Amino acid sequence: MLNPLAAPDAMSAAAETLEDLLQDCDHQPFIELLHVVPVAGTTLGHDRLQSLAQAVYDAGGWGSGYQVGTPIRPFPSPRAWRDILRREVTEGFMQPARRWPAADLRTPDEIRRADEVADGIADLVEAHLGPVRSCGDVGGLHPGYIWWCNLLLVSDSWATVLHLGVSD
C-alpha cells in the first residue's frame, strides 16, 4: 500500500487529465481528495460516518470550518463511489455535453478516455487507502459551485472525502 497521507497530492496530479477532458469554455471541473484521517479512535455506531466526515473537514485546508449537519447513510455497495465517479464523468453533470445543448461537445473517444481515467483515479485512491469498505454522500453547501458531490470514503484504516464539482 502506498502512503495514505500522500493520496490527496497523488490524486490531484492524476485528476488534472480528467479535469482537462471535462472542462468547457465557461465551467471548471474539480476532482480532489480532502485530508486523509485515521479511522482508529472514531466512535462506532450510527453516527460513525458523520464523525469521520467531520474529522476530515476538521483536518484543515479546503472545507475547514464546515460542520457536517446530517447523518451520512452508507451506500449499499462499497464500490458505489466508483460508479458515481464514472457516471458523472461520462454521462452526468460533469460531462460538458450535459451542460450544453450540443450533444457532440465531446467525442465518443473522449468519453471513453474519461471513463478510463476515472477508473485509474479510483484505483490510485485505493492503492493509497486500501479497499474502500464504506462510502456515503456527505452533502452540504458549496458557494460558487453549480454542481457538487462530496463522497466520504472509508477503508479499514483511513477516511477521506472525494470532492467532485463544477464551478462557473
Side-chain angles (χ1 to χ4, degrees), residues 55-120:
V56 171
Y57 286 114
D58 289 347
W62 188 97
S64 181
Y66 176 73
Q67 294 298 308
V68 178
T70 58
I72 300 168
R73 292 195 177 105
F75 293 123
S77 166
R79 294 186 56 86
W81 72 278
R82 286 175 165 266
D83 297 336
I84 292 168
L85 174 60
R86 188 179 308 112
R87 182 181 65 240
E88 288 304 330
V89 303
T90 59
E91 62 189 57
F93 195 81
M94 293 192 83
Q95 180 55 240
R98 298 285 292 174
R99 298 188 302 269
W100 291 93
D104 62 349
L105 193 58
R106 290 293 183 260
T107 67
D109 187 55
E110 288 172 319
I111 293 171
R112 180 193 52 77
R113 179 78 177 123
D115 184 43
E116 291 171 356
V117 175
D119 283 342

Side-chain angles (χ1 to χ4, degrees), residues 141-153:
L141 300 174
H142 296 283
Y145 283 84
I146 58 173
W147 178 88
W148 67 90
C149 177
N150 285 346
L151 301 171
L152 175 67
L153 311 179

Side-chain angles (χ1 to χ4, degrees), residues 12 14-23 28-32:
S12 178
E16 286 181 23
T17 300
L18 187 52
E19 290 170 343
D20 288 345
L21 282 170
L22 300 173
Q23 188 169 347
Q28 174 65 46
F30 294 93
I31 302 167
E32 56 194 338

